[in-house]
């Protein structure tokens, strides 16, 4: 048995090793089992990190990128394993229609190094995957890619191409990890598209001679499945025949193959059901979500999820002036850890400071808007006195981008009272005809109204940059998912941190705190919710008119939400869950 100075490590290739391992660690000391050659491994099908060449789909990808940056700050050895997509889509408005453009990407432009190639089997062929890597201090991004890998979320969710991408990430990524000499201390599956990573682990242990059941126990104890979805029924399925072409050929151990074959029901499989089987550790992304996520294991038992609410990387999402002010007031320290008496310290934030910093934020927004014309092709620029509401999020039904437009007459009156602007920014998933129709009908209503035409703006191709610019530059953010359907949401966190007034339904991570912590939207039905929303919008504008109210509201939001928003809190929660003392 070897010791690496920090803690003993060993390949753990057979059952004796596993027993020794547990004996030596007694689990309570497992934290130390994280070492630079045995890092925390985080598997994700998407990451939103445009500086490093990754455009994600939404919150899931933002979370992945934030988690690595937080690990970097906290000094945790950490590897993100994610595909590098050689093409990405960009939405533009052409002749009044929203269209997707496809842009090729080269990893060399983003500082990645080619390590070598690994191979997976698909449809009777050997597919070569390039392994590329970008290293930071104590973290790295490890990717697999090839010229025909395609775009993120191209094709439908049960398609061959998606299965290929997921198998490539799992089996290819696992080989890549071995290639760079790393063993996973923990495998975190950021949603079920990454299931094959844990399967590759199980297969390796078993095919290297470990007893199959011991290998299952071992893999289960070291795999965390993080769920972001609410309804298992909504998830795509794959067929046995698809697995024959893409999955089974990559499994070396007959026992593992048989185990997997038994998981099919009527020739179909859901990756969530096998993720539940292979991961003893399971988490949901907010308190409410962990409670309501409706998942069953194959034996028919309801699955329990540990609530670990998402947080954000403050260094990435907070206006630098605001972050510095937080450090000066010792609300957070230089590692962005929250002070114990943060709630008292936020009382030092004054209306004058809020207004001054907001002016700086608005400058950033105006700068970004120079390259982001609205639906009429206008380049917008706002003065410090303009009041801006924003609705910035993926354009999906449950987030209800259309709710305020169900009564344009009243919406107009509300905006007119303060000459306010309403900015909508949101990407529509390629091929989502229903949401495209909804967007066009909103824009049609806006076009027909001579006031709204100049005060409601749609900005297409919502991305990281626009998310930041709107968080720092607007006054109030509107977050109105149908209650029960948002897993967590993180854009509201960016808003609270940047002194925006949050108008929200009590859902996702927002519901981790009391509904008196922000401008809450509620109602017995959607009519009532709409009434309430418009009322809250009026209140938000009135609050900005009054120093005392502004201070009170900003402090209240921060006092209640800071611990939830803190990304370091999130990573500590994960570490505490994975390695209990
Ligand atoms: C923060 C962020 C999200 C997350 O949005 P939610 O709707 O709050 O989950 C999505 N997309 C981008 C580009 C973001 O920056």
């Amino acid at each position: 048995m070897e010791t690496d100075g920090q803690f003993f490590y060993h390949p753990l290739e057979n059952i004796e090793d596993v027993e020794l391992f547990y004996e030596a660690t007694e689990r309570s000391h497992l934290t130390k089992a994280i070492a630079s050659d045995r890092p925390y491994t985080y598997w994700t099908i998407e990451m939103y990190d445009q500086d490093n060449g990754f455009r994600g789909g939404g919150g899931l990808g933002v979370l992945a990128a934030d988690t690595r940056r937080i690990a970097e700050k906290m000094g945790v050895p950490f590897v993100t394993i994610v595909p590098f997509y050689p093409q990405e889509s960009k939405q533009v408005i052409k002749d009044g229609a929203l269209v997707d453009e496809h842009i090729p990407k080269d990893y060399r432009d983003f500082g990645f190094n080619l390590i070598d190639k690994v191979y997976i089997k698909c449809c009777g062929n050997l597919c070569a995957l390039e392994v590329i890597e970008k290293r930071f201090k104590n973290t790295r991004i490890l990717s697999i890619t090839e010229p025909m890998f395609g775009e993120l979320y191209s094709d439908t969710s049960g398609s061959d191409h998606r299965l290929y991408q997921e198998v490539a990430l799992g089996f290819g990524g696992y080989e890549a990890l071995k290639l760079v000499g790393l063993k996973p201390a923990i495998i975190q599956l950021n949603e079920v598209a990454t299931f094959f990573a844990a399967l590759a682990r199980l297969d390796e242990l078993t095919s290297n001679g470990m007893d199959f059941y011991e290998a299952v126990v071992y893999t289960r104890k070291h795999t965390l499945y993080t769920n972001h979805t609410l309804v298992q029924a909504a998830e795509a399925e794959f067929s046995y025949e698809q697995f024959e072409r893409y999955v089974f050929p990559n499994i070396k151990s007959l026992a593992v193959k048989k185990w997997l074959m038994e998981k099919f029901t009527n020739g179909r499989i859901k990756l969530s059901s096998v993720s539940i089987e292979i991961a003893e550790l399971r988490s949901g992304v907010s308190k409410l979500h962990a409670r309501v996520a409706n998942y069953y294991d194959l034996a028919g038992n309801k699955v329990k999820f540990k609530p670990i609410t998402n947080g954000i990387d403050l260094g990435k999402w907070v206006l630098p002036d605001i972050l510095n002010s937080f450090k000066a007031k010792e609300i957070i320290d230089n590692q962005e850890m929250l002070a114990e008496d943060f709630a008292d310290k936020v009382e030092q934030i004054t209306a004058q400071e809020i207004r001054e910093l907001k002016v700086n934020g608005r400058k950033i927004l105006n700068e970004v808007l120079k390259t982001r014309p609205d639906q009429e092709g206008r380049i917008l620029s706002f003065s410090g006195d303009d009041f801006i509401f924003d609705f910035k999020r993926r354009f999906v039904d449950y987030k209800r981008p259309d709710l305020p437009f169900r009564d344009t007459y009243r919406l107009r009156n509300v905006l007119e009272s303060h000459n306010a602007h309403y900015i909508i920014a949101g990407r529509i998933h390629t091929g989502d005809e229903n949401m495209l129709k909804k967007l066009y009908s909103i824009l049609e209503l806006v076009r027909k109204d001579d006031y709204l035409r100049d005060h409601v703006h749609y900005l297409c191709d919502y991305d990281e940059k626009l998310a930041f610019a709107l968080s720092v530059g607007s006054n109030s953010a509107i977050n109105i998912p149908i209650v029960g359907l948002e897993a967590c949401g993180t854009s509201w966190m960016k808003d609270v941190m940047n002194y925006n007034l949050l108008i929200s339904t009590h859902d996702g991570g927002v519901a981790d705190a009391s509904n008196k912590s922000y401008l809450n939207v509620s109602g017995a039905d959607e009519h009532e919710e709409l009434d309430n929303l418009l009322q809250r919008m009026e209140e938000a504008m009135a609050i900005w008119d009054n120093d005392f109210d502004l201070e009170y509201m900003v402090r209240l939001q921060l006092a209640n939400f800071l611990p939830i928003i803190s990304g370091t809190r999130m990573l500590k929660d994960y570490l505490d869950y994975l390695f209990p003392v």
Side-chain angles (χ1 to χ4, degrees), residues 48 58-59 62 317 393 399 462-464 467 486 489-492 494:
Y48 223 129
V62 171
W317 294 110
R393 44 199 25 91
K399 293 181 188 265
Y462 176 55
D463 66 354
E464 239 177 275
E486 185 67 85
T490 48
S491 62
W492 65 267
K494 304 164 193 168

Side-chain angles (χ1 to χ4, degrees), residues 228-244:
H228 296 253
T229 320
L230 288 136
V231 207
Q232 200 168 16
E235 191 195 312
E237 294 177 332
F238 293 108
S239 70
Y240 191 86
E241 180 270 328
Q242 285 178 300
F243 266 51
E244 277 184 318

Side-chain angles (χ1 to χ4, degrees), residues 1-10:
M1 199 79 358
E2 310 160 60
T3 347
D4 72 348
Q6 272 213 69
F7 196 66
F8 105 91
Y9 72 97
H10 197 81

Side-chain angles (χ1 to χ4, degrees), residues 148 188 245 322 356 368 374 571 580:
M148 302 303 289
Q188 181 168 2
R245 283 183 290 133
I322 294 183
E356 278 173 16
V368 169
D374 76 355
L571 189 56

